[in-house]
Amino acid sequence: MKVLKFGGTSMGSAESIQQVVTIIRAQRKASREAGYGNGLAVVASAMSGVTNQLLQMASQAEQGKEFEQSLQQLQDRHFQVVHTLVETRYQNQALMELKLLVNELETLLHGIRALRELSARTADLVMSFGERLSTTMLAHILRQQDPQVLYVDAREWIKTDSHFGNARVQTERSYALICQAVNQHPDALFCITGFIGSDEHRHTTTLGRGGSDYTAALVGAAVQADEIQIWTDVDGFMTADPRIVKKAFPLEEISYTEAMELSYFGAKVIYPPTLIPVILQKIPVVIRNTFHPEFPGTVIREKAKRNGTLIRGISSINHISLINIQGGGMVGKSGISGRLFSLFARENINIILITQASSEHSITIAVTPAHAEKAKRLIEQEFELELATRKIEPPEVEHDLSILAIVGENMRQTKGLSGKLFSALGRNGINVVAIAQGSSEYNISVVVKQHDLSKALNAVHDAFFIRTKKTLHVFYLGTGNIGKTLLRQIAEHEDYLLENRSLKIKVVAITNTRQMVFNEEGIPLKCWENYLQEHGEPASLDEFIRRMKSMNLPNSVFIDNSASAEVVKHYEEIFTSSISIVTCNKIGNSSEYSLYKRFKDAVKKYGVDFFYETNVGAGLPIISTLHDLLVSGDKILKIEAILSGTISYIFNEFKGNRHFHEIVREAQAKGYTEPDPRDDLSGLDFMRKMLILARDSGYAVEMSDVEMEPILPESCLKAPTVEAFYKALEEADEHFEALKKKAESEGKVLRYIGVMDEGKVSIKLHAIDASHPFYFLTGSDNIIAFTTPRYRDCPLVVKGPGAGAEVTAAGVFADLVKVGAQ
Ligand code: ADP
Ligand code: ASP
Ligand code: MG
């Protein structure tokens, strides 16, 4: 025999019930054909939302308020299903039975209102109407085609104690009743109300919220079913709660132990006690999707196949409180935890998690928030003496916390699991408030701030399920030349990264100086301009940063494509919020050394990345080469560099009988210079780059330490307009001619070179001979030569185009892909 259970959503509407009917028919047929016999048991939940609605009505009644409208709506909802799914000739009978139930419920609610009293016992009776209504309805629908349908009020089958709201089942008695009924009707299609039972006085009880799963398991265990199917609204038991972790995926198989641990720690897909009755008999429990019946779902069984992942799943309890008890008087006194446990057991306070410091100095207990204050009071009473004598400090309660648990039977044999867990949390700036590892080692639980839970779940999921993709959440600032190009490059390369690097780049916010836009699901990159236009709000840098922080997404990266000093002011705050930065903006690294140092410290402390390859030489691998040399144990003795395309071009061309001012004009005509060529020739930008290189080489250099010899004479620098500048430059021709002549007479060429020699930085005009690597430089290339103990005789040279939106954007892109790679 098989047992099928349909949850609230499956029973939620005429449409979904139609689906349920189709599934039941198919299963009844399949069961027969497979030789499982004719009998089939179906357990139904109340229609979705009904149990809550009933509780709400009861509480309204208790307060003397009206509930009639809600009751009417409840009736209409059921009637409407009957009208849709029951043939006219059978409708009356069905409607009448439902009406009787509704009337009974109404009388009960009136009673509650008259007495202004709602006991736990009465609340259970009120809640029972949800399952009684839905199952009555389902039985009528099925009976049209199947005369062997038998409606079962589970109060006749499931016997419990009188702990209303969460009754304990007396299994032996219940099994006997179930078997008796089933044996009497071996071919029946039983339609059984989930969730409810009755005590020895025949008072209605309930098995705890979500308890219909448990009813199905009890029936299954009683009849030694071949299989129990839990039909719900997801494809199976997933690696994590799919409402929070979008990348969660359904598991093919999972063991009883794993499913129990996960459900105990919040995986709502199955009610925690459900598996207890079936474990001994090893009855497989299959989770399936009513709305996707072709999908095989998840099989819960004794031994589940390994699936190549380190853990089976992650779950969480959204809202818990911690109670902390500490004091010197606890050390070595084994009685204290014993007393605590019996106290809590006596008072029916469920301990979700407990940790004790190995010093025995403190015990931390997690409970549901509803129990926290009561638990604190009870502890204060129980340990009154110890408190008075200061052997124990007054208990402290901490609220707004969550528990995240990773679960898997393989965890026992696997090393480094906690390391992986904590590094995923640490990298994302998530503080761990408490840790517990069950002695079973099937589970490691951590307590985190509720505010961090979603981020923590996603980060941990990314870390453990390598099959799944890693997502970088990108906050994007600047849509100028480089910014635009980079967005285009990312859009073009999205699929490649996903396929080859399992990397999803999700741009979740874009801002420029005018507008900003946010979308946690990702902004469509192929049409970001329209998107920004349509959904944008006025830009505000402060607000952008605030929202970025409050979105609190895992693997967040801030991309700064600007050249703004304002933006740089926020860097430290961004790092301390555990957000990485990728930027081509060199202002940050080249201002005061103290700021540079603060960035580095924050990056180290918060475990984030800070990549700025494009600060020097655009897309050329200059900074990465420098870092690679350093991490591999080399030392930077000397750097020589030409780090301005304009300056490079001008001196590379300044030879023979060409005049200096002519070449400057030519460079401008070719688009190599800023609108005012002095912005390039002043060397300020060059100097910033040299500073960054010197600092990254390990030297604390300030701008004022740089010895800089300007290329241009005073008269040129002072000229009020660009035209006046050219005029002054022509007048200075003789000066440049003389320099060139002298160099040429010695077989040399002029090059404006930045030099960093053991921490001393200068930028000057040099005359160099053919033995120098910069002698043969042509065009507008950048060039840099590193002299190190390893590259002493022949320096390591990097050369290539050091400007342009395409190559710069590509450099930022390469940095972005590296985020979180270590
Ligand atoms: P039903 O009404 O069918 O009993 P529930 O709402 O009780 O359904 O349980 C199914 C829901 O559990 C899913 O819709 C899903 O949102 C949630 N859920 C939480 N954790 C998990 C998980 N690990 N796997 C699958 N579903 C989960
Ligand atoms: N209807 C009950 C509840 O909402 C039982 C269940 O759906 O499993 O808790
Ligand atoms: Mg459920």
Side-chain angles (χ1 to χ4, degrees), residues 5 210 213 268-269:
K5 178 259 169 176
D213 300 334
K268 192 193 168 204
V269 63

Side-chain angles (χ1 to χ4, degrees), residues 5 7-8 45 209-213 230 232 268-271:
K5 178 259 169 176
S45 284
R209 294 304 304 273
S212 297
D213 300 334
I230 307 282
T232 180
K268 192 193 168 204
V269 63
I270 193 158
Y271 180 56

Side-chain angles (χ1 to χ4, degrees), residues 122 142 169 250 326-327 396 567 578 667 681 702 785:
T122 311
L142 289 167
V169 176
Q326 56 177 8
E396 279 171 24
V567 180
S578 300
L681 293 170
E702 293 287 1

Side-chain angles (χ1 to χ4, degrees), residues 426-430 455 556 574-580 606 608:
R427 268 194 74 80
N428 284 286
I430 298 155
K455 176 166 153 178
S556 289
I574 294 173
F575 292 136
T576 53
S577 310
S578 300
I579 298 169
S580 295
Y606 292 92
V608 288

Side-chain angles (χ1 to χ4, degrees), residues 128-142:
S128 74
F129 283 90
E131 270 67 14
R132 287 157 67 194
L133 283 164
S134 68
T135 312
T136 300
M137 186 173 79
L138 180 66
H140 277 284
I141 296 166
L142 289 167

Side-chain angles (χ1 to χ4, degrees), residues 522-571:
I523 293 165
L525 292 189
K526 299 228 155 73
C527 55
W528 67 268
E529 281 180 288
N530 288 339
Y531 193 87
L532 184 60
Q533 276 289 323
E534 273 169 37
H535 303 277
E537 45 192 293
S540 147
L541 181 58
D542 288 338
E543 178 59 14
F544 188 82
I545 307 280
R546 194 193 64 73
R547 290 266 281 277
M548 171 167 78
K549 284 162 59 179
S550 76
M551 279 166 85
N552 203 14
L553 297 170
N555 304 317
S556 289
V557 190
F558 176 70
I559 299 189
D560 175 9
N561 287 311
S562 77
S564 149
E566 267 320 293
V567 180
V568 168
K569 284 186 189 150
H570 291 276
Y571 277 17

Side-chain angles (χ1 to χ4, degrees), residues 124-254:
D124 270 6
L125 181 56
V126 172
M127 283 194 283
S128 74
F129 283 90
E131 270 67 14
R132 287 157 67 194
L133 283 164
S134 68
T135 312
T136 300
M137 186 173 79
L138 180 66
H140 277 284
I141 296 166
L142 289 167
R143 199 170 285 135
Q144 302 174 91
Q145 308 267 332
D146 199 331
Q148 285 175 315
V149 170
L150 277 183
Y151 170 79
V152 178
D153 183 324
R155 292 176 297 181
E156 302 296 326
W157 282 14
I158 310 284
K159 290 294 159 189
T160 71
D161 68 4
S162 303
H163 188 251
F164 299 101
N166 205 347
R168 184 183 289 267
V169 176
Q170 292 158 352
T171 44
E172 294 309 315
R173 276 186 70 200
S174 307
Y175 289 179
L177 287 166
I178 296 169
C179 285
Q180 197 188 355
V182 172
N183 288 337
Q184 273 175 15
H185 306 280
D187 295 330
L189 170 56
F190 295 98
C191 282
I192 309 154
T193 57
F195 184 48
I196 61 175
S198 64
D199 70 1
E200 57 178 329
H201 309 291
R202 300 187 69 85
H203 292 139
T204 303
T205 55
T206 59
L207 310 184
R209 294 304 304 273
S212 297
D213 300 334
Y214 190 30
T215 309
L218 290 164
V219 173
V223 303
Q224 308 196 349
D226 304 285
E227 183 176 290
I228 295 168
Q229 300 175 355
I230 307 282
W231 289 84
T232 180
D233 57 358
V234 281
D235 273 343
F237 215 119
M238 320 263 267
T239 47
D241 186 339
R243 289 165 300 185
I244 313 179
V245 179
K246 292 283 175 293
K247 283 185 276 181
F249 55 88
L251 295 157
E252 205 181 316
E253 295 196 349
I254 175 170

